[in-house]
Amino acid sequence: MIYDRFKLLRDERAALASLRAPVLAAIDSGSHDAMEKVLSAHPGFASRALAEGLAHLPRGPQAAAEHFAAALSDERRHLEHRLLWLGTLGNNAPFVGLFGTVLGVIKAFHDLAESGAGPEVVMAGLSEALVATAVGLLVAIPSVLAFNFLQKTMRDLLSETEALGQRYSAVRTPHAR
């Protein structure tokens, strides 16, 4: 999941970076046709969302803005795909490890009670229990770090796309072609 989302967001970041200058140039030119050409020539969620708003511009600025916002919301769902699982895994893995630790400690004391042996029996069980804790942390820490990084990256991409849309809507006129 981490690799899949990282790769997707890296590709989207590159697509948005290559889109930014041409979109700003098209905005400065005031040409609807120039904007259409730029958006159709670039891949990525930002181009798709901006193109959706641009396609509805003949209906008026409000319709264009609403379609852009709706398209951006659809794209957000695509970008967020599987991040919920990553966040859930990161938040719950320590509890799974802790559960394994508790079971290991119970087993260690149970073995001690049945065997009547010394602390060696407890030590072996505690050692196994601590492995469960370590595994839980080894899963949780990278998952939480990746989740936070990917969430921040996604928010930055969406924010920059919204800013481009707002720049375009600030200077365009409904019939500019």
Side-chain angles (χ1 to χ4, degrees):
M1 285 185 280
I2 293 171
Y3 176 76
D4 172 65
R5 292 294 94 185
F6 178 78
K7 183 180 178 318
L8 172 76
L9 292 177
R10 183 191 62 204
D11 293 348
E12 291 291 354
R13 183 183 310 151
L16 182 56
S18 73
L19 176 69
R20 184 175 170 69
V23 162
L24 292 175
I27 289 170
D28 286 345
S29 76
S31 170
H32 183 85
D33 292 334
M35 183 64 100
E36 284 179 340
K37 283 182 184 178
V38 166
L39 295 176
S40 66
H42 285 82
F45 83 93
S47 293
R48 292 188 298 270
L50 288 165
E52 178 75 18
L54 190 65
H56 290 86
L57 187 57
R59 294 181 175 174
Q62 185 63 31
E66 289 175 9
H67 278 273
F68 169 69
L72 201 55
S73 180
D74 289 342
E75 294 293 342
R76 171 176 291 187
R77 279 193 301 281
H78 173 70
L79 295 174
E80 286 179 339
H81 180 69
R82 296 167 69 182
L83 281 183
L84 175 65
W85 291 106
L86 188 59
T88 301
L89 180 64
N91 286 328
N92 290 303
F95 296 115
V96 173
L98 180 60
F99 183 65
T101 302
V102 169
L103 290 179
V105 170
I106 290 170
K107 180 185 177 298
F109 282 111
H110 179 265
D111 291 347
L112 177 64
E114 282 195 356
S115 71
E120 306 83 38
V121 174
V122 174
M123 292 303 197
L126 290 178
S127 174
E128 291 174 15
L130 291 175
V131 168
T133 301
V135 169
L137 292 173
L138 285 173
V139 170
I141 292 170
S143 295
V144 169
L145 288 173
F147 176 80
N148 289 336
F149 173 78
L150 294 169
Q151 283 283 89
K152 170 74 167 96
T153 301
M154 187 187 67
R155 280 193 311 268
D156 289 348
L157 291 172
L158 290 166
S159 176
E160 187 170 347
T161 302
E162 287 173 352
L164 286 174
Q166 289 170 348
R167 281 187 177 99
Y168 184 67
S169 67
V171 297
R172 64 182 157 72
T173 58
H175 302 292
R177 284 215 176 246

